[in-house]
Amino acid sequence: MANFGTWLHTRRKGRLVGKDADGRSYYESTGPARQGGGVERPERWVIYLKGEDASAVPPEWWGWLHHTLDAPIPAEERKPWQLPYQPNMTGTAQAYRPPGSLYSTGQHPPATGDYEAWTPDA
């Protein structure tokens, strides 16, 4: 969701490169922009959907957005480890709670006797 300044900059200096499956729009500047290290290359940006954060960019667009790829990866060339976006569930009822976590059951698991504390003299 772009504010007025981003919308105006996009209209004046951006060209639409494409959209992802969820409807985010990806733009590139029409001319080179000086970036860190004196490198001149087009500026790239994404217009997010309302309420999204930067982790919502899918893997096929992430490389293009960060100038590691010249074009987004076609969906059929995605690797099995390139998973769809999942929001961070920390702090919610759906958060990961491993076995033995106080948050999963509210109780410590019983001691098994296999723990031996370290002492400097041992």
Side-chain angles (χ1 to χ4, degrees):
M1 190 79 185
N3 61 27
F4 181 72
T6 304
W7 177 84
L8 185 62
H9 177 76
T10 301
R11 296 281 296 170
R12 292 183 63 227
K13 298 194 178 210
R15 73 174 179 85
L16 180 65
V17 173
K19 291 187 172 208
D20 64 22
D22 295 324
R24 292 174 211 89
S25 302
Y26 296 86
Y27 292 89
E28 189 170 59
S29 61
T30 54
R34 185 167 294 272
Q35 306 210 345
V39 176
E40 286 193 16
R41 60 186 181 188
E43 183 181 15
R44 295 175 176 173
W45 65 96
V46 59
I47 304 296
Y48 295 99
L49 303 175
K50 188 172 185 162
E52 287 187 319
D53 63 12
S55 67
V57 173
E60 59 265 21
W61 283 96
W62 191 93
W64 175 83
L65 196 60
H66 292 88
H67 294 278
T68 59
L69 300 171
D70 293 330
I73 301 169
E76 60 273 3
E77 291 184 24
R78 286 182 65 167
K79 307 290 186 234
W81 50 265
Q82 293 174 315
L83 301 174
Y85 169 73
Q86 260 188 326
N88 184 345
M89 303 307 282
T90 302
T92 69
Q94 293 83 26
Y96 174 69
R97 292 178 169 89
S101 167
L102 284 176
Y103 291 110
S104 64
T105 62
Q107 306 235 342
H108 280 291
T112 60
D114 64 346
Y115 175 75
E116 185 178 324
W118 177 84
T119 59
D121 298 331

